[in-house]
Amino acid sequence: TGTPTPEGLLELYAQVRLLDDGVRFGRSADAFKRCYFHATDYMEYDWQPLPGSKEQIYGKIADLALTLLSSDYLDIPDTQVEDIQVAMPDEAWKRYKELSKELLISMGPNGDIIAPNAAALSNKLLQMSGGAVYNSEKDQAVIVFHDAKVVALQSYLKVNPEPSLVVCNYRHEMDRLRS
């Protein structure tokens, strides 16, 4: 959001301390806490801001941070999430099952796709479902299996030409979508 409150005002101390070496709030996190907050339980696990603390804290960091409410400045339409089911082509599905069973696919001159363990296998299968896989050689070349997701996205964007945010898991997916 850009607002410097990761989990609330209490955790703001460390961020500001890194920026100003303790000038604004002192060199002790405990002193900061006791100056601007009060414990709400006897074990001092829960701390809440004292009245006026929020304004005082924001006043002290005004030269370091700018807080804007999106409702005041941005006119953004509501987010619409579109999950599009894309069937993997038969040949790619055959190779997918082969990799999941054998943990290895030889791709001839393009190199091999090797999954030495379960985590690597899961990663390679996820890549393959996207249409391409990094080979297991040092060059990390991309081996393309299908363009089903690219074609589905093109079809979607023809029907819905407004700006869209497309999520990619791998750089090769982004490169293929851009091209």
Side-chain angles (χ1 to χ4, degrees), residues 78-123:
D78 291 335
T79 301
Q80 295 179 342
V81 176
E82 296 285 340
D83 288 325
I84 301 169
Q85 297 291 321
V86 178
M88 191 181 294
D90 292 338
E91 183 60 32
W93 180 243
K94 180 178 144 190
R95 301 302 288 225
Y96 181 96
K97 289 192 291 189
E98 179 184 351
L99 180 61
S100 67
K101 182 179 178 185
E102 303 295 329
L103 307 178
L104 166 75
I105 299 177
S106 178
M107 300 304 295
N110 292 330
D112 296 330
I113 299 172
I114 302 170
N117 55 47
L121 176 63
S122 176
N123 194 22

Side-chain angles (χ1 to χ4, degrees), residues 32-113:
F32 167 75
K33 183 169 35 175
R34 294 187 185 284
C35 179
Y36 296 101
F37 301 88
H38 68 92
T40 60
D41 61 336
Y42 76 96
M43 295 295 290
E44 297 186 345
Y45 288 123
D46 184 50
W47 291 78
Q48 296 298 318
L50 292 168
S53 288
K54 181 178 180 180
E55 293 77 18
Q56 288 177 348
I57 291 169
Y58 282 159
K60 286 191 173 196
I61 64 167
D63 62 325
L64 294 176
L66 175 64
T67 303
L68 302 173
L69 297 175
S70 61
S71 60
D72 294 338
Y73 296 95
L74 300 176
D75 184 23
I76 298 176
D78 291 335
T79 301
Q80 295 179 342
V81 176
E82 296 285 340
D83 288 325
I84 301 169
Q85 297 291 321
V86 178
M88 191 181 294
D90 292 338
E91 183 60 32
W93 180 243
K94 180 178 144 190
R95 301 302 288 225
Y96 181 96
K97 289 192 291 189
E98 179 184 351
L99 180 61
S100 67
K101 182 179 178 185
E102 303 295 329
L103 307 178
L104 166 75
I105 299 177
S106 178
M107 300 304 295
N110 292 330
D112 296 330
I113 299 172

